[in-house]
Amino acid sequence: MSRHVRWQAVIALLGLLLVVALLSYATYTYTSEYVPARGGVFVEGVVGNPQYINPVLCQYNEVDRDLCALVFNGLLRFDEQGNLQPDLAESWEVNATATVYTFTLRSDIRWHDGLRITADDVIFTVQLMQDPELPVLPDLAALWRSVIPIRVNDRTVVFQLSGPYAAFPDYTTIRWFGVLPRHYWQRYSPAELPQAQLNTQPIGSGPFRVTEIDSQHVRLEPNLRQMDETPYLDALEFRFYPDYGSILAAAEMGEVHGVSRILPEYLSQAENMPDLQLFTSPLPGYSLILFNVDNPNAPFLQEQAVRQALAYGLNRERLLNDVIPGVGMPADSPILPGTWAYNPDIPRYEYSPEQARTLLDASGWVDTDGDGIRDKDGVPLSFALMIDDAPSSLLIAQTVAADWAQIGVQVQPEPVSFTGLVSDFLVPRNFAAAIVQWELIGDPDPYPLWHSSQISPEGQNFSGWQNRDADIAMEQARITPVRAERARYYRQFQTYFAQDVPAILLYYPLYTYGASTAVNNMEVGRLNVPADRFRTFPRWYILTHKVTLAQRQLLQLDKPQE
């Protein structure tokens, strides 16, 4: 009897195991999930229209710069940490005096038409950059005109500089130098280049190629030779709009997936759009209040104590948190934090109106007539603050004026167009103070903006600041290729800058990008230029399809396949 019971138990157990196995097999075979599918077009709204999809001419137009970065390549590129990496060049070397740079091109690089890229293309592009008939940025043209390019062989180019310049490799990236195909462009004289049809029908070498373009849109399709992985999406399309408000309206109606940039005045509206995901990244640059320390109409700005008092008297925390939230992160140095040259130990000016008043009192700036404005020797502590006419700039200026009024300084915000600010006030040095924003890409070299030699009419030291110790630090950093030595000199420069206060740093700008929640797996990391928002494009997807667990394992659909 007991033996019969034991066999029944064994049979029951085997039956139970069989049921479990069948259920597990059914679950494995028939349980499904949604996974990325190939296909679809990502449509982004951008402001303006392309004029020159040509890296020699694209510096003046934001849409052009984006397109050039996607369609062309430089010799080098910046990675997400801002470090230089190979692009068209597989390697580069510099001599001990930072005057000779040798680049070796990759052997596998080709133009979109399939022809190989050679040293001849690089030399041809340099010669175009040097030509006075082309509207290249003046500083960029001046740099390349001081370079002698030498062809060694099909894959090797040597650049002989007129003097030591450790930051030169940065100027071989796509932001400043994109290589053009000689076999297409050599038929044009430099004077004919801006009118060439190729400017809107480019043949490049980059990760995308232009396949359609008209007054309403441009379609870019992936160039798989230049991508590490095959994208899910078939194409990227830019649609052209007159302003950013129009792009947000198009996003609300589902006409576009991406909003190329969300300006501060539209941030609240974008945050309230349920189908829009926002991505924010710092951009390399800084916003500042620039003092003209050589303006006879505001002689008090020559006094270091006055400039320090103005720094103490500005509540930047309230400005960035309450007045213009989302615009930027507090800035304290003209060299970006997190970079190899940043000095975390520089003097800082935390908000302290009491300290500001003490400095002004000690310098003889007191309110002698009770009108609320300090004065000395009959000169009131009063000046105009020039700004561009963007809404956020006016908010900043009004806040600055209110803060400085509390310490007895009168400021009149004067908005003008951005072009007017530069051409009518900054370049002729016709201002006392101005709110401006500088772009810093790659090497932290502050020489063009702050060295005393750049006070000349052709230079960009609009403040007129002169500090011999700072000059020496910038000069030495330029001529040594050893990064540790350069970092030491740049740390010194930052200390002199902070002590002297030729400008008050306001913030490091933030770039806010919007995309539809219908687009999956999007990431926007640290940006060197706005076009870097497409760095992870191969992993983005819109379409999905259903697969079983068995099919997923069999087809290995976890990631794109080559």
Side-chain angles (χ1 to χ4, degrees), residues 40-114:
V41 176
F42 181 86
V43 180
E44 178 178 287
V46 299
V47 171
N49 293 78
Q51 294 176 308
Y52 303 113
I53 312 176
N54 177 336
V56 172
L57 302 172
C58 72
Q59 307 301 332
Y60 296 94
N61 180 310
E62 188 170 343
V63 177
D64 287 347
R65 290 198 298 269
D66 279 354
L67 290 170
C68 282
L70 298 172
V71 175
F72 291 91
N73 297 91
L75 295 175
L76 304 178
R77 63 176 178 84
F78 292 114
D79 65 16
E80 197 165 346
Q81 287 71 47
N83 297 313
L84 287 171
Q85 300 293 341
D87 200 359
L88 293 181
E90 68 179 15
S91 63
W92 70 100
E93 299 175 354
V94 57
N95 69 346
T97 59
T99 56
V100 178
Y101 291 82
T102 302
F103 289 82
T104 301
L105 301 180
R106 288 162 40 193
S107 60
D108 62 338
I109 50 174
R110 293 184 178 274
W111 296 110
H112 291 160
D113 64 4

Side-chain angles (χ1 to χ4, degrees), residues 430-446:
N430 182 27
F431 71 101
I435 295 178
V436 295
Q437 188 162 305
W438 298 138
E439 180 183 69
L440 294 176
I441 298 175
D443 194 276
D445 179 23

Side-chain angles (χ1 to χ4, degrees), residues 95 141 159 172 190 271 285 348 357 364 454 514:
N95 69 346
F159 296 121
T172 67
E271 289 174 338
R348 286 173 170 78
R357 295 186 187 103
Q454 303 305 300

Side-chain angles (χ1 to χ4, degrees), residues 28 43 51 101 137 151 236 242 284-285 316 408 429 504 531 544 556:
Y28 179 71
V43 180
Q51 294 176 308
Y101 291 82
L137 288 173
R151 181 189 187 279
L236 164 65
R316 292 182 303 158
R429 276 67 171 175
I504 297 175
T544 60
Q556 296 182 333

Side-chain angles (χ1 to χ4, degrees), residues 41 163 219 246 301 326 409:
V41 176
R219 178 184 172 97
S246 300
L301 292 177
V409 179

Side-chain angles (χ1 to χ4, degrees), residues 22-331:
L22 289 172
L23 288 174
S24 298
Y25 176 76
T27 299
Y28 179 71
T29 304
Y30 297 108
T31 299
S32 61
E33 62 178 319
Y34 287 95
V35 298
R38 300 200 186 281
V41 176
F42 181 86
V43 180
E44 178 178 287
V46 299
V47 171
N49 293 78
Q51 294 176 308
Y52 303 113
I53 312 176
N54 177 336
V56 172
L57 302 172
C58 72
Q59 307 301 332
Y60 296 94
N61 180 310
E62 188 170 343
V63 177
D64 287 347
R65 290 198 298 269
D66 279 354
L67 290 170
C68 282
L70 298 172
V71 175
F72 291 91
N73 297 91
L75 295 175
L76 304 178
R77 63 176 178 84
F78 292 114
D79 65 16
E80 197 165 346
Q81 287 71 47
N83 297 313
L84 287 171
Q85 300 293 341
D87 200 359
L88 293 181
E90 68 179 15
S91 63
W92 70 100
E93 299 175 354
V94 57
N95 69 346
T97 59
T99 56
V100 178
Y101 291 82
T102 302
F103 289 82
T104 301
L105 301 180
R106 288 162 40 193
S107 60
D108 62 338
I109 50 174
R110 293 184 178 274
W111 296 110
H112 291 160
D113 64 4
L115 293 183
R116 198 159 60 87
I117 301 172
T118 71
D120 293 326
D121 298 303
V122 178
I123 301 290
F124 172 76
T125 305
V126 173
Q127 292 170 343
L128 283 178
M129 298 285 286
Q130 296 173 333
D131 196 290
E133 293 191 27
L134 281 184
V136 178
L137 288 173
D139 291 342
L140 192 58
L143 169 70
W144 283 105
R145 286 170 193 155
S146 69
V147 175
I148 299 174
I150 302 168
R151 181 189 187 279
V152 177
N153 55 47
D154 266 5
R155 292 182 54 208
T156 308
V157 179
V158 171
F159 296 121
Q160 173 71 59
L161 278 57
S162 60
Y165 189 28
F168 175 74
D170 284 43
Y171 289 89
T172 67
T173 63
I174 186 59
R175 178 62 178 87
W176 307 114
F177 180 79
V179 180
L180 282 171
R182 178 175 175 269
H183 57 290
Y184 282 99
W185 286 99
Q186 64 183 343
R187 72 190 72 168
Y188 299 100
S189 70
E192 295 172 329
L193 223 69
Q195 286 75 46
Q197 193 172 7
L198 276 172
N199 286 316
T200 54
Q201 297 178 356
I203 302 298
S205 57
F208 291 89
R209 55 192 179 90
V210 174
T211 58
E212 293 178 14
I213 187 168
D214 57 30
S215 62
Q216 303 298 316
H217 84 297
V218 59
R219 178 184 172 97
L220 304 166
E221 295 184 2
N223 171 29
L224 299 184
R225 286 197 193 100
Q226 279 292 99
M227 290 190 172
D228 294 331
E229 51 190 337
T230 302
Y232 288 114
L233 294 167
D234 290 333
L236 164 65
E237 181 180 313
F238 284 180
R239 288 189 187 167
F240 311 133
Y241 291 86
D243 52 58
Y244 289 101
S246 300
I247 302 177
L248 275 176
E252 286 189 299
M253 292 186 289
E255 294 177 2
V256 299
H257 299 106
V259 181
S260 60
R261 188 167 193 170
I262 297 173
L263 297 181
E265 53 265 38
Y266 296 111
L267 187 57
S268 177
Q269 177 185 347
E271 289 174 338
N272 291 321
M273 293 171 59
D275 297 327
L276 194 69
Q277 50 187 328
L278 302 183
F279 303 88
T280 300
S281 170
L283 279 176
Y286 54 88
S287 179
L288 71 164
I289 301 174
L290 185 69
F291 297 126
N292 184 348
V293 300
D294 194 28
N295 185 334
N297 296 320
F300 40 80
L301 292 177
Q302 296 175 9
E303 299 181 32
Q304 183 190 67
V306 171
R307 299 194 301 269
Q308 289 178 340
L310 292 173
Y312 279 120
L314 180 58
N315 190 342
R316 292 182 303 158
E317 182 177 350
R318 182 174 70 87
L319 174 70
L320 296 176
N321 290 341
D322 301 333
V323 180
I324 50 169
V327 168
M329 304 180 299

